Amino acid sequence: MGFKVFISADMEGISGVVHSEHTSRSGKEHDYARKLMTSEVNAAIEGALNAGASEIIVNDSHGTMRNILIDQLNPKAKLLTGSPKLLSMMQGIDSTFNAVFFIGYHAKSGTRIGVLDHTISGRVISDIVINGVSVGEVGINAAIAGYFNVPVVLVTGDNSVINEARRLLGDIESVVVKRAVGRYAALCLHPNIVHEKIREAAQRALERLSDFKPFRFNSPVKVEVTFANSGMAEMAELIPGVQRVDGKKVSFMHKDYLIAFKILRAMIYLASTVL
Ligand SMILES: [Zn+2]
């Protein structure tokens, strides 16, 4: 029996991607960025196959979640495409998987130098703190994998997201595909070099699978969310169990992390209706 691998693929942490012209649906360079993203995901798939993976699910995790070019994807993997999905960037994960890869990930909102830093929604969220720790998509999604007892073993993106991931998850495999120079600028490695590094890191990660532990937040989880404006916090306050802390901030607790995540998603949807 080979490994079962779950890949969550975002776009902001792909080499060459530095602007909304790449990441947004209407951007002139979006189709090119989709191609770059698909190739980096393929490198991770190849590395996993080299290590003996027998089943690979790729969850397209960026924006509309319809980015990866299916005909250019390695045919050994299956693609989960489209949105919304209840578990969003982690839809499809369950306890049958052996390992999770985060490909093309980015730093959390408020990172001083991180390419296209944000947390879930750049327009809505200023900060998310779970059990006292400010976390981005790496932490939030790693804990969903951890909920199902699956470790995150590989993260790729700019140097700032790799620092964030290593602080939280420890000695995981990682590939720095670009060095952040600012929010909209990076020193990027050539795709050929990036692919080789990702292929090797993916293989290495599965070869030392026993080194990794699932990441979890202690129960009950306390979630504190700071929104971009007070109108958004007001919408979040509509949800039962959610307390208003101050103008832009709400908080809630739940013993079950997966339910806490769904409450978080619901409040982001509600808040996004406010300008
Ligand atoms: Zn994204």
Side-chain angles (χ1 to χ4, degrees):
M1 258 286 284
F3 303 112
K4 201 170 161 184
V5 178
F6 181 90
I7 301 178
S8 173
D10 206 346
M11 189 183 269
E12 290 84 349
I14 300 293
S15 187
V17 171
V18 292
H19 196 272
S20 62
E21 287 285 354
H22 297 117
T23 56
S24 90
R25 203 76 188 158
S26 55
K28 287 184 196 69
E29 294 171 81
H30 184 57
D31 282 338
Y32 178 60
R34 294 171 66 191
K35 211 173 131 190
L36 295 174
M37 177 186 181
T38 305
S39 316
E40 286 195 22
V41 170
N42 274 339
I45 294 168
E46 283 160 28
L49 291 170
N50 291 344
S54 56
E55 200 176 336
I56 301 166
I57 303 273
V58 178
N59 182 29
D60 193 322
S61 299
H62 172 75
T64 60
M65 302 190 169
R66 288 179 275 118
N67 306 284
I68 290 171
L69 305 166
I70 192 165
D71 63 333
Q72 289 173 36
L73 193 68
N74 188 306
K76 295 267 168 56
K78 290 194 186 94
L79 176 65
L80 184 45
T81 182
S83 74
K85 296 175 277 209
L86 278 180
L87 294 187
S88 190
M89 302 174 82
M90 294 304 287
Q91 185 66 45
I93 188 75
D94 62 34
S95 56
T96 65
F97 285 88
N98 300 99
V100 169
F101 297 168
F102 290 162
I103 302 299
Y105 265 49
H106 55 81
K108 72 187 177 76
S109 167
T111 300
R112 186 164 175 191
I113 303 177
V115 176
L116 299 170
D117 66 295
H118 68 277
T119 301
I120 303 179
S121 167
R123 193 176 71 81
V124 172
I125 298 292
S126 174
D127 194 20
I128 296 176
V129 172
I130 302 182
N131 290 357
V133 181
S134 172
V135 288
E137 293 168 23
V138 165
I140 291 166
N141 292 337
I144 296 178
Y147 183 89
F148 293 101
N149 214 23
V150 188
V152 173
V153 302
L154 169 66
V155 179
T156 75
D158 72 1
N159 56 310
S160 63
V161 72
I162 300 307
N163 287 341
E164 182 182 319
R166 296 182 79 85
R167 270 200 306 274
L168 210 59
L169 308 177
D171 185 27
I172 48 158
E173 289 292 336
S174 59
V175 178
V176 174
V177 306
K178 56 189 172 188
R179 186 153 291 275
V181 169
R183 184 169 157 82
Y184 303 107
L187 185 62
C188 299
L189 296 179
H190 188 280
N192 292 354
I193 308 289
V194 167
H195 299 162
E196 193 183 329
K197 283 176 182 281
I198 293 178
R199 214 178 290 124
E200 288 170 1
Q203 180 171 348
R204 242 183 353 254
L206 296 181
E207 283 168 356
R208 63 181 194 95
L209 203 51
S210 58
D211 291 352
F212 305 103
K213 283 188 183 64
F215 173 78
R216 291 189 195 90
F217 294 110
N218 290 332
S219 173
V221 282
K222 182 180 185 192
V223 182
E224 297 165 280
V225 183
T226 306
F227 290 94
N229 68 46
S230 56
M232 294 174 176
E234 202 174 310
M235 290 299 101
E237 202 185 341
L238 287 171
I239 299 172
V242 173
Q243 319 286 324
R244 189 78 171 266
V245 177
D246 61 29
K248 297 186 199 173
K249 191 168 166 186
V250 302
S251 95
F252 67 94
M253 286 182 87
H254 206 284
K255 63 181 188 325
D256 186 290
Y257 178 71
L258 210 63
I259 295 174
F261 173 77
K262 288 177 180 173
I263 294 169
L264 176 66
R265 294 289 304 164
M267 67 169 60
I268 292 170
Y269 275 114
L270 281 172
S272 70
T273 63
V274 172
L275 289 176

